[in-house]
Amino acid sequence: MNFFRDRDANSNVFDDPKNDPTAPSPTTSPRKKQKYESQPPSSTGSADDAALASLRKRMAGPSSAKAGLAKDQDEINRIIYEVSKGSKFFENERKKDAQTTERINALLVRRDQKLLQVPRGSAEWLAIERKIEDMATRLENSRDLSRTILHTDIDMFYAAVELARDPSLKGKCFGVGSGVLVTASYEARRGYGVRSGMAVFVAKALCPHLIVVKNDMQSYVQASQKVMAVFEQYDENLAKASLDEAYLDITDYVEQHGGSIDQVVQQLREQVRSETQLTVSVGIAPNTMLAKISSDRNKPDGQFRVQPDRKAIVDFMRDLPCRKIPGIGRVNERILESLGVSTCGEIWNKRVDLWLAFDGKIEWLIKAHLGIGNTIVEPSKREERKSVGREHTFSPTADTQALLDLLKESAQRVEQDLERLDFKGKTVTLVAKRDNYQRFSRARTSTRLVHRAEELYDITSSLLLQEIEREGALSLRLIGVRVTQLVDLRGAAAGEERLRKLFQSKPVAEGEEGATAKTTLRRTARELREEEERQLALAIKQSLEGSADPFTEVPDLSQDDVAVRSRSQTPIAARMTLQSDRNSDMPTAITPRQDPPSEEEGAVQCPVCDRTVHGSNDRLNAHIDACLNQSALNTSPSDPAEAGPSQRGDRPDASAKRKRGPLDLFVRRGK
DNA sequence: GCGGATCAC
DNA sequence: TATGGTGATCCGC
């Protein structure tokens, strides 16, 4: 587990006591002398005791402050500390934490310096206050309370699924995961302090009879699919945040079906329960941020609503710890704390201090204070992807050849992913982690579009060798490859262009105008979607099959048992189970994409314009680049395709972000 | 454009 | 004995 990922702990052994928000704030900053390196805990006296206690508390993890957990938290913390101390992982966490302390010190120095120039109550001070007022007014004017948005969160997702698979686990202490626990049963949590994110060996130290169940992605995917199918009845345009979390906009549903909002949500939860045996916790609010926070409020198996009323929202925010705001993690929590801000309400009191410390960039904080958030729910779009990468952890090695081999495996994985997703990229990054857990990356941007494993390996291996040359042997525990500056071979630019050419090559039947054209297009679109489905299914299948090799798909871990996101942003998981449910012989049901002609053959078909291109690899690449640039230039923004039944498009900000499919261009023409 | 850091899940 | 993987974003340079 990560000892420092503690949502609730608010102190740390390496904190400078002077950072205590309750302590009087000095106007000068002697803190620099207090850095960890100059004051290791072991060299101090009573401060050491306090430090130890504080560290143990911190290590307690995210759930330590929650009700109903282990009674003897101190003892649990002591055990965790005993089995963890001295490890490289732990030392690295300690180092990072000391670094955060340094950063905070620097921030406070800056604030104090500015405070000398801008004394409290001075004209400048008042001017800053005025600017913040204006900012708040502007934000307030943009507040939209008209939508009813849900954040749904399946309770104890992994554990619940495992329990359904193996009822004999009921009432026992068990955890799910391998190496690191994804989740733990209530019994293990409550009785022994076992938590998600905890290393298995630590969990076993706490609970020797803990049953550890290996995670089974396919079950979670199937379970998720069933739950999401229910959600889709309430909002077909829902945004799946992970296998067990989703955002829904039920404004239209409630309008069309009647009933109170709370009743509708009750009904939704009941439907999930009866159809899947799983329970969900739901947050109801006028924006996604408030909904997300709310879903945590009556967990498990509950719902909580923030009324769409300004005062109700501000009241809700006032005592809310900043850490609850999505985007404020443990570092930002500490930073805010050092400035005397622990709750969202305090943001306003300290607004000028925050302005000075953050150089005026505090709009996100003011929004948090006001409870203003995103009011648009829409599925994430494939073509908005920014990077594709693979990385893998292994037992540390400094053997260059071994590292290169591992790198090659990552490169091959990335090639597969790029192929499947129809992307190429310009920037290739080597990512690595030293055996002391320190991460680093080295990148190179190519003038060409790269996607093949060989190219990826060539670039990253040269970066690695360069690094080894520079600083001698590198003992690594993780290595990987990431590609950015992606170019979509299927999406808006290439896809539309491709379709347009296809369409033009099959002229509309005489006299029939749009009708034939549209049906042709619709069919083409459907075929494309089906092809996409097959690709996605294939992807899932591959990821599920690979449990024997070292690159086995590993589910996400997180604070709670959540974090079970399918690797792709697209909801591939659900679709896959659909396929596998219908066809027991999956391999034949899922048709792999035809391999494009090899680029080595000297004559290949350009994936963009479909013309055959002869020549060297470089020349082919150049052609494809040119083609893509061309189609990108030709692509113009267009209106939403078919106006759906939903009226959300009538909202100004919604229409701006309205989903636009690759066919928009043509549909508009057909009108 | 690059590298580190932070965050979510 | 032993602490993950994928992707996004921001900042400073």
Side-chain angles (χ1 to χ4, degrees):
Chain A
M1 69 169 282
N2 183 339
F3 312 113
F4 297 91
R5 209 181 267 173
D6 187 341
R7 292 182 76 99
D8 300 316
N10 53 18
S11 62
N12 183 277
V13 62
F14 303 108
D15 280 349
D16 182 334
K18 289 197 170 61
N19 289 343
D20 183 345
T22 60
S25 179
T27 49
T28 58
S29 284
R31 297 179 188 81
K32 277 208 162 166
K33 294 175 195 159
Q34 302 278 338
K35 53 168 151 179
Y36 156 66
E37 284 77 7
S38 64
Q39 264 198 347
S42 56
S43 69
T44 59
S46 65
D48 192 17
D49 299 339
L52 195 62
S54 174
L55 178 57
R56 285 178 181 166
K57 180 185 172 192
R58 177 160 199 113
M59 286 159 56
S63 313
S64 65
K66 286 184 184 165
L69 288 174
K71 38 201 178 308
D72 195 352
Q73 193 66 49
D74 283 347
E75 174 64 4
I76 288 165
N77 296 347
R78 190 190 63 78
I79 295 173
I80 297 174
Y81 178 79
E82 286 305 317
V83 300
S84 304
K85 66 177 177 187
S87 72
K88 285 181 171 171
F89 175 82
F90 182 78
E91 290 307 314
N92 182 251
E93 291 300 309
R94 198 158 77 164
K95 206 183 293 176
K96 284 199 292 191
D97 201 63
Q99 205 176 312
T100 301
T101 303
E102 284 299 287
R103 189 176 152 190
I104 288 171
N105 290 341
L107 197 74
L108 292 178
V109 168
R110 179 152 32 122
R111 181 202 58 177
D112 292 343
Q113 283 171 350
K114 291 194 177 174
L115 225 39
L116 291 177
Q117 299 159 10
V118 185
R120 283 173 209 278
S122 67
E124 291 89 338
W125 178 281
L126 295 175
I128 291 171
E129 277 194 331
R130 178 61 192 272
K131 281 182 189 168
I132 300 172
E133 295 274 354
D134 290 347
M135 180 188 289
T137 304
R138 181 170 47 77
L139 289 170
E140 195 57 64
N141 288 336
S142 76
R143 191 193 286 274
D144 179 0
L145 298 174
S146 68
R147 310 306 295 180
T148 302
I149 291 170
L150 309 185
H151 177 257
T152 60
D153 191 337
I154 307 175
D155 300 316
M156 313 273 301
F157 182 52
Y158 274 37
V161 174
E162 292 300 337
L163 211 48
R165 273 156 52 84
D166 180 4
S168 76
L169 289 171
K170 193 176 170 80
K172 294 184 181 167
C173 291
F174 72 96
V176 183
S178 47
V180 172
L181 293 182
V182 186
T183 189
S185 66
Y186 275 128
E187 291 78 9
R189 294 184 187 207
R190 201 168 38 235
Y192 300 89
V194 175
R195 279 177 301 275
S196 59
M198 188 177 269
V200 169
F201 78 93
V202 176
K204 288 221 167 173
L206 291 171
C207 178
H209 58 287
L210 184 79
I211 300 168
V212 180
V213 183
K214 196 171 171 297
N215 37 316
D216 175 50
M217 282 307 289
Q218 193 156 10
S219 299
Y220 311 144
V221 165
Q222 284 178 0
S224 173
Q225 200 265 331
K226 285 185 187 153
V227 177
M228 294 291 174
V230 175
F231 292 164
E232 270 162 15
Q233 296 170 30
Y234 294 82
D235 180 7
E236 74 226 345
N237 204 36
L238 86 175
K240 302 175 186 179
S242 65
L243 282 189
D244 82 323
E245 281 185 40
Y247 292 92
L248 286 72
D249 183 335
I250 59 163
T251 315
D252 297 339
Y253 182 95
V254 173
E255 202 170 291
Q256 286 160 16
H257 293 76
S260 76
I261 288 166
D262 292 297
Q263 281 167 353
V264 167
V265 175
Q266 287 280 2
Q267 174 199 326
L268 176 146
R269 291 173 45 231
E270 188 48 49
Q271 200 182 337
V272 170
R273 183 206 306 280
S274 68
E275 292 184 21
T276 70
Q277 328 278 68
L278 297 169
T279 62
V280 291
S281 296
V282 180
I284 312 160
N287 66 53
T288 58
M289 178 191 72
L290 292 170
K292 168 87 171 117
I293 296 165
S294 302
S295 68
D296 212 35
R297 211 75 167 205
N298 278 329
K299 184 176 286 215
D301 196 13
Q303 62 191 61
F304 182 86
R305 182 173 184 205
V306 179
Q307 296 294 328
D309 168 76
R310 188 192 177 278
K311 184 174 184 311
I313 293 169
V314 173
D315 286 347
F316 179 78
M317 299 306 292
R318 186 170 299 116
D319 296 322
L320 189 76
C322 294
R323 186 63 166 85
K324 298 281 185 188
I325 302 296
I328 297 184
R330 64 185 172 83
V331 172
N332 280 320
E333 178 190 35
R334 276 194 59 192
I335 289 174
L336 289 174
E337 211 166 54
S338 76
L339 293 165
V341 176
S342 297
T343 65
C344 293
E346 287 164 344
I347 290 172
W348 192 250
N349 307 336
K350 301 280 182 179
R351 59 193 185 279
V352 180
D353 289 67
L354 291 168
W355 176 285
L356 295 175
F358 292 124
D359 206 21
K361 282 169 274 195
I362 59 166
E363 187 175 302
W364 60 290
L365 285 171
I366 302 300
K367 281 172 86 172
H369 169 256
L370 295 171
I372 289 176
N374 179 24
T375 59
I376 298 171
V377 172
E378 57 186 358
S380 62
K381 283 167 255 172
R382 186 202 82 87
E383 64 270 22
E384 285 171 1
R385 180 185 271 260
K386 302 279 187 298
S387 73
V388 173
R390 287 280 188 169
E391 59 191 49
H392 180 62
T393 296
F394 41 86
S395 43
T397 177
D399 180 342
T400 303
Q401 191 52 53
L403 293 173
L404 289 174
D405 290 345
L406 288 157
L407 194 55
K408 188 168 283 179
E409 293 208 54
S410 286
Q412 283 163 354
R413 286 278 175 152
V414 172
E415 178 190 61
Q416 287 173 18
D417 292 344
L418 288 171
E419 172 85 4
R420 170 165 49 80
L421 298 162
D422 264 343
F423 283 110
K424 294 189 180 183
K426 292 203 181 105
T427 301
V428 182
T429 305
L430 163 77
V431 298
K433 199 193 284 181
R434 299 176 206 275
D435 61 6
N436 64 2
Y437 291 87
Q438 195 175 40
R439 283 189 80 113
F440 70 91
S441 66
R442 297 290 178 263
R444 185 174 297 165
T445 299
S446 163
T447 54
R448 309 189 301 125
L449 293 176
V450 300
H451 73 293
R452 286 170 38 233
E454 201 184 326
E455 311 168 272
L456 299 172
Y457 175 71
D458 283 348
I459 294 171
T460 50
S461 61
S462 113
L463 289 168
L464 177 62
L465 293 172
Q466 205 173 298
E467 202 60 23
I468 291 174
E469 197 173 341
R470 190 177 321 173
E471 58 175 283
L474 267 183
S475 180
L476 302 181
R477 72 183 332 275
L478 171 146
I479 208 159
V481 176
R482 177 158 297 274
V483 176
T484 51
Q485 298 255 89
L486 297 182
V487 176
D488 187 1
L489 302 181
R490 189 198 299 171
E496 282 187 15
E497 185 67 4
R498 222 172 140 177
L499 268 179
R500 190 170 62 79
K501 287 181 186 292
L502 189 70
F503 179 52
Q504 283 173 347
S505 69
K506 295 174 187 166
V508 184
E510 54 290 347
E512 285 196 30
E513 299 202 26
T516 310
K518 274 189 186 172
T519 49
T520 303
L521 274 169
R522 292 253 163 71
R523 203 190 62 219
T524 311
R526 193 176 63 243
E527 284 165 0
L528 274 192
R529 272 199 294 274
E530 284 168 359
E531 172 63 16
E532 197 170 329
E533 301 265 332
R534 282 195 293 276
Q535 291 301 312
L536 296 165
L538 182 64
I540 272 285
K541 177 171 169 290
Q542 284 176 347
S543 78
L544 292 173
E545 276 173 349
S547 47
D549 68 50
F551 281 83
T552 302
E553 208 67 33
V554 177
D556 298 334
L557 291 182
S558 80
Q559 308 300 328
D560 211 323
D561 40 282
V562 218
V564 201
R565 179 185 45 175
S566 61
R567 244 188 337 91
S568 159
Q569 290 293 81
T570 46
I572 55 186
R575 308 175 191 209
M576 177 60 189
T577 36
L578 210 66
Q579 297 265 351
S580 63
D581 284 346
R582 286 197 193 132
N583 300 283
S584 51
D585 53 343
M586 237 171 18
T588 51
I590 297 165
T591 316
R593 178 153 84 113
Q594 289 177 344
D595 281 329
S598 161
E599 296 188 9
E600 264 65 52
E601 287 170 12
V604 304
Q605 198 180 13
C606 170
V608 183
C609 72
D610 282 343
R611 276 193 291 249
T612 304
V613 185
H614 300 270
S616 67
N617 271 350
D618 279 350
R619 190 170 159 189
L620 300 176
N621 254 312
H623 169 89
I624 293 168
D625 284 357
C627 238
L628 284 172
N629 288 336
Q630 185 68 25
S631 57
L633 285 175
N634 288 345
T635 305
S636 59
S638 51
D639 292 330
E642 296 129 276
S646 150
Q647 283 132 26
R648 82 185 64 222
D650 297 337
R651 293 152 64 220
D653 55 348
S655 62
K657 294 191 75 174
R658 186 68 171 276
K659 204 170 138 186
R660 186 170 66 87
L663 290 177
D664 290 351
L665 196 65
F666 312 103
V667 174
R668 187 169 63 162
R669 273 191 194 180
K671 278 183 190 171

